[in-house]
Amino acid sequence: MTEQNSFQQWRLKLHEIIFEADTPAGKLFDIVLILSILLSILAVMLDSVADIRKEYGSILITVEWFFTLLFTLEYILRFASVGRPLKYATSFYGLVDLLSIIPTYFSLIFPSSKYLLVIRVLRILRVFRVLKLVQYLKEANLLIQALRSSQRKITVFLFTVLTMVVIFGSLMYVIEGESNGFTSIPRSIYWAIVTMTTVGYGDISPATSLGQGLASLIMIIGYGIIAVPTGIVTAEMSKSWKKEPVSTQACPECSAEGHDHDASHCKYCGSSL
Amino acid sequence: MTEQNSFQQWRLKLHEIIFEADTPAGKLFDIVLILSILLSILAVMLDSVADIRKEYGSILITVEWFFTLLFTLEYILRFASVGRPLKYATSFYGLVDLLSIIPTYFSLIFPSSKYLLVIRVLRILRVFRVLKLVQYLKEANLLIQALRSSQRKITVFLFTVLTMVVIFGSLMYVIEGESNGFTSIPRSIYWAIVTMTTVGYGDISPATSLGQGLASLIMIIGYGIIAVPTGIVTAEMSKSWKKEPVSTQACPECSAEGHDHDASHCKYCGSSL
Amino acid sequence: MTEQNSFQQWRLKLHEIIFEADTPAGKLFDIVLILSILLSILAVMLDSVADIRKEYGSILITVEWFFTLLFTLEYILRFASVGRPLKYATSFYGLVDLLSIIPTYFSLIFPSSKYLLVIRVLRILRVFRVLKLVQYLKEANLLIQALRSSQRKITVFLFTVLTMVVIFGSLMYVIEGESNGFTSIPRSIYWAIVTMTTVGYGDISPATSLGQGLASLIMIIGYGIIAVPTGIVTAEMSKSWKKEPVSTQACPECSAEGHDHDASHCKYCGSSL
Amino acid sequence: MTEQNSFQQWRLKLHEIIFEADTPAGKLFDIVLILSILLSILAVMLDSVADIRKEYGSILITVEWFFTLLFTLEYILRFASVGRPLKYATSFYGLVDLLSIIPTYFSLIFPSSKYLLVIRVLRILRVFRVLKLVQYLKEANLLIQALRSSQRKITVFLFTVLTMVVIFGSLMYVIEGESNGFTSIPRSIYWAIVTMTTVGYGDISPATSLGQGLASLIMIIGYGIIAVPTGIVTAEMSKSWKKEPVSTQACPECSAEGHDHDASHCKYCGSSL
């Protein structure tokens, strides 16, 4: 029983170090972790540059396997120390942790898959928790909330845009034809997206007068309708943030509300707040 | 007379299946319809890819004719079952339904016209009704309403942009000349639109110093004035959505709604709220 | 004296036809004028297309001279009929009217200057007065007013952008060098403007790693700061338009203000407005 | 002692001329300074154009050294006349002043570094003080304040964008491969930034169907999320500028300002307004 107890204690200790950042050990662990992630991503990136790979290839492979084994060990420890392992494994961070080590093993079969290791960048999201950047998380939540409450409007907008690029893309395919680079409808739709989002690579561009006319129309539409998502998000943000800066305190005398945060007296009856 | 009655009943039944989505049969019909539309659009797209056409061309043509005949039959049935056929034929959906079958027949004369079948994508708008996505339609209406009430401001804006691209395009034609790709005024106007909307293909771009200077000016103007439609739409949306949270209280006398929160009397009849 | 009187009357009549659009004759004159402008611009545009010029060049020149002489006659008549000719000559419309005829005469010396005739497009602004599109002019004024009241903020913004493109352009000139297309600082500044406004022709693009890194920075800055003018204009429009839809009428009983336009009773005391 | 006094007076006099713009001499000094800056920047720019350098190179070098020596003298005088030289040397303007003369001396070793002299453009910021453009400075402060109070939200946004371009860039590297121009992950990330910010040079563009599909997704995301910073800044500006039109009435008791229009009592001391 003492043994089981000491195992339990050891697991709690481990959990504290790996999952929390309140103790010095936990904080140190998280900082080392983030540095390791950054270094391993750097190694993956450098490995993709032909000149560097040629010269330092063997070192980079060693680094890659070192970090992968380290992260594998960490993943096993997380699994061992957490109360409900299955819940961790299916959580967002659990999946990211797993996806951050698989590609290296996978690269034994498909070599280029190892570049997918950059998914490790998602692990850095933990930095917000580690460095107690709670305020940033709060701001992020405000943004996500504003986007979520305008979700339906954005869906309608996206549906409209997709319908337009399908129709305009096909029209351009018929007008310009395969000799001008519009070799198929999917490719023409790709062109329509490139144009409507005002990216404009120029790898495909209309050559006939009619095509250029239609392209001009698409551009002006794309230039104009960017106002719609912007308007949606802005109106949503203005609405939800306006509620914030007024105190929820009611006057004890006349019960009036809507006082500023710095008010010390009711602005309607003058009694002390 | 019984015969006529049974015909009438049969027509009502047909109308319910084809036009409504409340009964299981009507819902099934709409779901099959949407799947057919998606499949037929996919077939048209695949047919436009040279490699696929070469190998599966005959199958795709069969699929195309199968769906076209199916949609033709559906169009005839809609015509037969609807109370006022002419009104249906001239409605938005009626026109789209017709345009969705014509190109195939037309393609017997002009082969490439069949690619216009992608207009069928507009038929999918019915999905909103089928899946009872009323909320989405409501959001779409809010967007359309905001755009409509800022219609005049947008017209003024578009007129200004068009005037600018005509003048800037002509100036560039005079400055750059035909040797630098600005081969005519219409083409230069096309370039001005490409530049002002910040698309920037690069198929035509200024080569002289003076031309690059003027182009820089156009770009900065285009970059700046995108603020105008965005501002218009945002201000309109903020305004119209702010009206929403007015009091839901109805006047006990005249039942009028839309009172402000601080109103103590009905603003229409003056009775106490 | 009768002669002078009849001349005076004749001048008033002429003024009414040319400058006003209230009488049938005045309206007809303006409509003919706008059609002439559109036709003459079309002729200038067509003349710039090499193929068309080769075939119909002589006709187009005739058309051009016909309209130029017509507009010259109109300009003289405007001069003769207006009360204060000098004020007209220096007004916006007066200058545009003059600039609309000069290029043809000028083209006898510099042939390509005739394409500047498209300045005639500015004369079409009169269409708003002719067709009594007063509402549109009002909307245009609202836009101009919003832009004007945010003029200082926009100046500060433009100054910041210009400072940034000068510095970033020079940095890129030093980093990329003349071999990669950045042949001089002015040209590099042109590139920086193309990049920062997200136009991105691709006629010049960084080739070195360091250059691509700096370019990425410029792009992200350019992508982000577009929020600034948009925010300025939107905030300005929201502010000025919010004042509009409230009646200036005060309650005759309790003097409360801020009633809606459709209110017939004071919302505070209930007395009739 | 008189000597020291006269030196002190001479220093004060110098300070007044160089640092202030209230006296005629001070104003003249500043105007001459700004003209010198503009001329020296022009000389640097012209020197970078190969054709001009070939012909007027020696003159431009003379001009450059003339202005550099002039600015060096000015820098020494500023140092001599200012009360706390170290504070000046480490201030923003002090650093800019120093950076504006170093490159010329540096160019004796690294010739191309002289083009960094354009940093002098930052010195022109003084124009705002000279020309008493206080109002503009106030507007600039409003803008900076709005940006600062939305700083955290923008950081979250930038972090999200950077995470996305790293992941999307790596995915494209794996999908497209080195044969299509995506020669390394850093270069692919550069492409992802070019695409997401809707710049779209077209120097690298996807060639495979899968790559074009993913690129389309990135473009639509980039086109959509520009709404986020715009929304943030706009909402922030609307909020902070809306506070402005509060009542200008000061409390008769405690002189506090910033009361709402409907306030009948001071919100700080409770006395009647």
Side-chain angles (χ1 to χ4, degrees), chain C residues 23-265:
Chain C
T23 57
K27 201 156 196 172
L28 183 72
F29 176 85
D30 278 339
I31 287 167
V32 169
L33 181 64
I34 284 164
L35 286 178
S36 305
I37 294 166
L38 287 176
L39 276 174
S40 72
I41 291 171
L42 190 70
V44 172
M45 284 191 181
L46 289 178
D47 184 58
S48 76
V49 183
D51 292 350
I52 295 173
R53 187 172 53 234
K54 213 184 287 169
E55 207 148 333
Y56 305 101
S58 53
I59 300 172
L60 290 168
I61 287 175
T62 315
V63 169
E64 201 179 298
W65 277 102
F66 168 74
F67 281 119
T68 301
L69 292 173
L70 198 78
F71 292 154
T72 310
L73 179 69
E74 182 219 341
Y75 187 69
I76 293 167
L77 285 178
R78 277 181 191 274
F79 229 91
S81 70
V82 85
R84 298 162 62 186
L86 256 175
K87 209 188 159 190
Y88 161 69
T90 55
S91 72
F92 174 72
Y93 281 123
L95 286 172
V96 168
D97 289 350
L98 187 61
L99 285 172
S100 296
I101 48 177
I102 287 181
T104 313
Y105 299 110
F106 218 69
S107 71
L108 294 174
I109 310 166
F110 301 107
S112 76
S113 73
K114 72 179 166 190
Y115 298 118
L116 297 174
L117 284 172
V118 290
I119 197 100
R120 282 174 184 168
V121 83
L122 284 178
R123 301 194 71 197
I124 297 181
L125 287 173
R126 284 202 172 96
V127 80
F128 285 110
R129 207 199 51 210
V130 179
L131 304 179
K132 297 282 169 224
L133 301 173
V134 180
Q135 192 59 39
Y136 283 85
L137 282 180
K138 227 176 91 183
E139 302 279 3
N141 279 337
L142 269 178
L143 289 184
I144 290 166
Q145 198 184 314
L147 288 177
R148 193 169 291 164
S149 62
S150 48
Q151 190 185 6
R152 275 198 199 123
K153 289 193 193 76
I154 287 170
T155 306
V156 168
F157 173 73
L158 275 183
F159 191 88
T160 313
V161 168
L162 285 180
T163 306
M164 277 199 279
V165 295
V166 167
I167 290 175
F168 281 132
S170 308
L171 268 176
M172 287 301 281
Y173 173 69
V174 174
I175 291 172
E176 289 282 324
E178 309 198 0
S179 56
N180 290 327
F182 293 77
T183 51
S184 70
I185 290 185
R187 200 168 148 82
S188 300
I189 291 175
Y190 161 73
W191 169 86
I193 293 174
V194 168
T195 300
M196 199 163 231
T197 56
T198 77
V199 170
Y201 286 133
D203 51 349
I204 319 167
S205 63
T208 66
S209 299
L210 190 56
Q212 291 180 348
L214 185 62
S216 300
L217 184 69
I218 301 174
M219 283 172 221
I220 288 176
I221 291 175
Y223 181 67
I225 60 172
I226 194 154
V228 175
T230 308
I232 294 169
V233 172
T234 306
E236 205 59 60
M237 284 179 175
S238 295
K239 214 167 72 180
S240 62
W241 297 348
K242 212 168 286 152
K243 294 172 193 158
E244 200 189 354
V246 189
S247 169
T248 56
Q249 197 177 9
C251 172
E253 290 299 316
C254 70
S255 305
E257 290 189 9
H259 303 297
D260 293 338
H261 279 296
D262 59 348
S264 56
H265 286 80

Side-chain angles (χ1 to χ4, degrees), chain A residues 238-266:
Chain A
S238 297
K239 216 167 69 179
S240 61
W241 296 348
K242 212 167 285 149
K243 294 171 193 159
E244 205 185 354
V246 189
S247 168
T248 56
Q249 198 177 10
C251 171
E253 290 299 317
C254 71
S255 303
E257 290 189 8
H259 304 297
D260 292 339
H261 279 296
D262 60 347
S264 57
H265 284 79
C266 172

Side-chain angles (χ1 to χ4, degrees), chain B residues 152-153 170 173 178 183 185 189 191 195 198-201 212 219 223 230-231 260 262 264-265 267-269, chain C residues 45 48 53 115 118 135 139 187 194 198-201 222 225-226 230 234 241 260 262 264-265 267-268:
Chain B
R152 275 199 199 122
K153 289 194 193 73
S170 307
Y173 173 69
E178 309 197 1
T183 51
I185 290 184
I189 291 174
W191 170 86
T195 300
T198 77
V199 171
Y201 286 133
Q212 291 180 347
M219 283 173 222
Y223 182 67
T230 307
D260 291 340
D262 60 347
S264 55
H265 285 80
K267 65 179 177 176
Y268 298 110
C269 71
Chain C
M45 284 191 181
S48 76
R53 187 172 53 234
Y115 298 118
V118 290
Q135 192 59 39
E139 302 279 3
R187 200 168 148 82
V194 168
T198 77
V199 170
Y201 286 133
I225 60 172
I226 194 154
T230 308
T234 306
W241 297 348
D260 293 338
D262 59 348
S264 56
H265 286 80
K267 64 180 176 175
Y268 298 110

Side-chain angles (χ1 to χ4, degrees), chain A residues 34 75 85 91 104 106 138 160 231 234-235 243 250:
Chain A
I34 284 163
Y75 186 69
S91 72
T104 314
F106 217 69
K138 227 176 91 183
T160 312
T234 307
K243 294 171 193 159

